Amino acid sequence: TRDRLTSVINVGGLAVGIACCTLIFLYVEHEWTFDRHLEHVDELGRLVLVETRKSGSVRYRGLHENEVAEYLMEDYSEVVAASAFISVKSMLTYEGESKRVQTGGVHPTFIDMFSVEFIAGDRETALDKPESIALSRSAAARLFGVEQNADDLIGRSLNYAGRPNPVLTVTGIFEDAPKKSSLSYDVLVPVRLARGFPINTSANGDSEIYIQF
């Protein structure tokens, strides 16, 4: 009886150990495969300022003014590219019908830094104009209908929350970001345009700043 109980305990302990190791492996594998679709993943970083106060306490600041990205590209030769990213929940309106989307306010450099794959429009100039908007494939389907040809959507006009201004011009359609992406967005607009929206965000108008070295 004692031997049988010992065997049960040993087998049970082994099973629990194997289960724990499997869960740890799956967790680590899940975390390490985030953003692996990015061409420049090993060259990217996020700007975080570390402030040490007189009291000795340390404060980490991860949100900055959008213009910081521009300063970094101008003043530091080792910076290949930089872009702000501000996440905005917004409503886009087409022909009187509104849809909720997750908007990413970015600099044009974001498209190459984060390997945004365009299927229509010119990725090199898609966000150059101040009232441009690029849509993911799924966002375009929700706004215009699933059977629309992507090339036919370029040049169409959208409004923010049914308001007459600003009029946003569709300049690009891109593939949805993979699920294992750190940044989530349905549409991309110039960061200055995003700051002008009555936004629903905890960032208070400031942005995360991403840098490519």
Side-chain angles (χ1 to χ4, degrees):
T1 303
R2 181 177 299 176
D3 291 342
R4 184 178 300 173
L5 178 61
T6 300
S7 297
V8 169
I9 292 173
N10 289 339
V11 172
L14 179 62
V16 171
I18 292 174
C20 290
C21 289
T22 302
L23 290 174
I24 292 171
F25 171 80
L26 291 174
Y27 174 79
V28 171
E29 190 271 341
H30 179 267
E31 292 298 308
W32 276 96
T33 53
F34 259 75
D35 294 328
R36 301 314 299 181
H37 64 286
L38 300 180
E39 181 182 352
H40 307 294
V41 63
D42 295 325
E43 305 167 9
L44 296 175
R46 179 184 168 193
L47 178 65
V48 176
L49 295 183
V50 181
E51 301 175 3
T52 303
R53 300 178 179 178
K54 292 182 179 180
S55 62
S57 62
V58 178
R59 177 191 176 197
Y60 298 91
R61 182 184 174 195
L63 297 177
H64 316 274
E65 294 181 356
N66 304 318
E67 291 77 12
V68 170
E70 299 160 22
Y71 298 152
L72 289 170
M73 287 189 288
E74 291 175 1
D75 296 341
Y76 293 89
S77 58
E78 61 266 41
V79 173
V80 175
S83 175
F85 179 84
I86 184 169
S87 184
V88 180
K89 292 180 180 179
S90 55
M91 298 289 289
L92 293 177
T93 304
Y94 178 70
E95 294 185 343
E97 187 173 352
S98 296
K99 302 291 184 182
R100 183 177 297 276
V101 295
Q102 190 72 31
T103 301
V106 300
H107 286 87
T109 48
F110 180 91
I111 292 173
D112 184 63
M113 290 174 63
F114 284 85
S115 304
V116 181
E117 184 181 349
F118 272 59
I119 58 176
D122 185 353
R123 71 192 308 271
E124 300 297 329
T125 61
L127 298 181
D128 285 355
K129 294 183 179 180
E131 293 179 350
S132 303
I133 184 168
L135 311 174
S136 68
R137 184 191 290 270
S138 60
R142 295 206 311 272
L143 285 161
F144 301 114
V146 294
E147 296 183 359
Q148 293 285 345
N149 184 286
D151 289 317
D152 294 337
L153 302 180
I154 304 302
R156 294 209 185 174
S157 298
L158 295 167
N159 297 98
Y160 174 75
R163 302 178 183 183
N165 291 302
V167 176
L168 310 178
T169 301
V170 177
T171 54
I173 308 294
F174 57 86
E175 293 287 3
D176 292 16
K179 292 183 178 179
K180 289 188 177 182
S181 298
S182 298
L183 303 181
S184 177
Y185 50 88
D186 299 315
V187 306
L188 295 174
V189 299
V191 67
R192 286 184 174 83
L193 178 64
R195 289 192 68 177
F197 288 170
I199 57 178
N200 178 9
T201 174
S202 60
N204 296 319
D206 286 341
S207 308
E208 297 175 347
I209 301 295
Y210 291 91
I211 305 169
Q212 179 184 346
F213 294 98

